[in-house]
């Protein structure tokens, strides 16, 4: 029977030191473990503090190891993504273009809804007969300032009727055809509108200049009362335009003349409202008798009072 090998390191100093160090580490580890068990049993609060301190000390090492493990585990995903980068880029570009088109359509729908809501509110607040139509063209080369309306004589449009948008006054009907009409814009030189300043009712006359702006002349004698920022609305004088329709805002005052810009830009307005002439709206004729054809005025019925 062979003799078992001896565990003695012999006369090798390095081997002896290594064996002694391993014994010391084993004994120290066992002592520390036994001490931690005793502390955990007899002092749980102190043991919790030690555990927290150990976790704080080992946190950087744990985070580093975790990132290393995650990086090694995601190598295959990184390689696959790099391999499919071209096709993914094309797909993402197509998706971005489709989303951009949807966003543009959504913005257009939102603007249209806002315009129609303003128009409906305008119709609800006005008791006169109204006709909703659209501006389909405008005069670009002519010296006159006209816009084309897609409603005409067959729809009840007549010359002289005011045309307004939710932002303010556009102009008035100039010429009608069966299914279209020409609108004389505020900026035309022959369009004169009685206006007043909204803040203090100072009367004035607005006349188009043909260049997208209007000229405002006060009816009162003396210096020019208008200043930049003043809001002008229709005064109702003349019987064509209803009062309190926004017309223009003053941008410059020079001498006795003030210059303004219309609040409603025909180039940006789509839906408009054609109104009855203000004088006709407030003085509607009564029904005529079949025999004489004369106007019948409505009178309040007399009240019979019985005499005692």
């Amino acid at each position: 029977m062979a003799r078992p090998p001896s565990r003695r390191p012999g006369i090798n100093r390095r081997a002896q030191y290594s064996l002694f160090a391993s014994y010391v580490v084993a004994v120290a580890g066992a002592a520390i473990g036994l001490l931690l068990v005793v502390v955990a049993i007899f002092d749980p609060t102190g043991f919790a503090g030690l555990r927290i301190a150990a976790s704080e000390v080992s946190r950087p090492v744990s985070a580093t190891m975790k990132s290393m493990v995650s990086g090694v585990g995601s190598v295959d995903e990184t390689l696959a993504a790099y391999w499919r980068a071209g096709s993914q880029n094309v797909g993402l570009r197509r998706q971005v273009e489709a989303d951009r088109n949807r966003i543009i359509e959504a913005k257009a729908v939102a603007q249209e809804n806002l315009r129609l809501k303003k128009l409906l509110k305008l119709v609800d607040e006005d008791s006169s007969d109204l006709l909703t139509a659209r501006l389909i063209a405008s005069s670009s080369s002519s010296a006159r300032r006209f816009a084309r309306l897609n409603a005409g004589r067959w729809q009840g449009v007549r010359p002289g009727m005011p045309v307004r948008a939710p932002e303010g006054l556009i102009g008035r009907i100039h010429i009608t055809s069966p299914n279209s009409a020409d609108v004389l814009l505020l900026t035309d030189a022959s369009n004169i509108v009685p206006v007043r300043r909204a803040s203090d009712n100072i009367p004035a006359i607005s006349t188009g200049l043909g260049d997208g702006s209007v000229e405002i002349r006060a009816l009162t004698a003396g210096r020019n009362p208008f200043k930049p920022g003043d809001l002008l609305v229709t005064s109702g004088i003349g019987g064509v335009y209803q009062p309190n329709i926004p017309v223009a805002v003053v941008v410059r005052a020079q001498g006795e003349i003030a210059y303004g810009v219309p609040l409603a830009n025909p180039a940006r307005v789509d839906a408009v409202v054609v109104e009855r002439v203000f004088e006709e709206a407030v003085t509607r004729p009564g029904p005529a008798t079949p025999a004489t054809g004369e106007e019948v005025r409505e009178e309040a019925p007399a009240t019979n009072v019985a005499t005692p």
Side-chain angles (χ1 to χ4, degrees):
M1 183 176 178
R3 182 180 177 182
S6 177
R7 295 183 179 182
R8 294 179 178 273
I11 60 174
N12 192 345
R13 297 286 184 179
R14 182 177 298 177
Q16 292 177 357
Y17 290 153
S18 299
L19 182 60
F20 177 75
S22 62
Y23 287 154
V24 171
V25 169
V27 173
I32 293 173
L34 181 61
L35 180 61
L36 291 176
V37 171
V38 173
V39 171
I41 295 174
F42 295 98
D43 190 7
T45 304
F47 181 75
L50 293 175
R51 185 174 57 184
I52 294 173
S55 63
E56 289 294 329
V57 171
S58 61
R59 183 181 60 83
V61 179
S62 300
T64 304
M65 295 300 295
K66 178 64 176 179
S67 60
M68 292 177 60
V69 172
S70 300
V72 173
S74 61
V75 170
D76 56 344
E77 297 179 359
T78 304
L79 294 177
Y82 180 78
W83 183 262
R84 297 194 301 267
S87 59
Q88 290 178 353
N89 191 11
V90 174
L92 291 175
R93 286 183 178 179
R94 293 177 180 176
Q95 184 177 359
V96 168
E97 292 177 358
D99 293 340
R100 184 185 298 112
N101 294 333
R102 293 191 185 98
I103 291 173
I104 294 174
E105 293 176 358
K107 289 182 178 179
V109 171
Q111 293 178 357
E112 183 68 16
N113 290 338
L114 181 61
R115 185 183 299 111
L116 293 177
K117 286 180 180 179
K118 290 181 179 179
L119 200 60
L120 290 175
K121 184 178 180 181
L122 181 66
V123 173
D124 290 340
E125 293 178 353
D126 203 335
S127 60
S128 61
D129 296 337
L130 303 174
L131 172 67
T132 304
R134 293 181 181 272
L135 296 178
I136 57 177
S138 62
S139 59
S140 58
S141 60
S142 175
R144 306 293 300 276
R145 292 293 179 261
F146 290 99
R148 181 62 56 83
L149 194 71
N150 68 338
R153 192 182 309 112
W154 290 356
Q155 288 77 30
V157 179
R158 298 292 181 266
M161 287 186 172
V163 179
R164 61 183 294 184
E167 294 81 5
L169 187 65
I170 296 291
R172 56 184 172 85
I173 301 297
H174 184 65
I175 300 174
T176 60
S177 59
N179 289 303
S180 63
D182 289 339
V183 180
L184 185 66
L185 300 179
L186 285 176
T187 55
D188 189 85
S190 62
N191 197 346
I192 300 175
V193 180
V195 297
R196 64 177 179 84
R197 188 160 63 180
S199 59
D200 52 6
N201 298 328
I202 293 180
I205 293 295
S206 171
T207 307
L209 295 177
D211 59 354
S213 61
V214 294
E215 176 186 281
I216 299 101
R217 291 179 178 268
L219 297 180
T220 57
R223 64 182 184 86
N224 187 3
F226 301 107
K227 60 183 182 298
D230 289 344
L231 177 62
L232 302 176
V233 297
T234 54
S235 61
I237 300 174
V240 177
Y241 305 101
Q242 296 188 16
N244 301 323
I245 301 176
V247 176
V249 60
V250 178
V251 295
R252 180 167 57 92
Q254 183 177 358
E256 298 180 354
I257 304 174
Y259 301 92
V261 293
L263 292 173
N265 187 357
R268 300 180 180 178
V269 171
D270 185 16
V272 295
V273 171
V274 181
E275 298 181 346
R276 293 173 59 91
V277 176
F278 179 55
E279 186 176 357
E280 296 179 0
V282 297
T283 59
R284 296 182 182 179
T289 58
T292 62
E294 296 180 353
E295 178 182 345
V296 178
R297 297 183 178 179
E298 296 181 2
E299 297 179 358
T303 303
N304 295 328
V305 181
T307 57

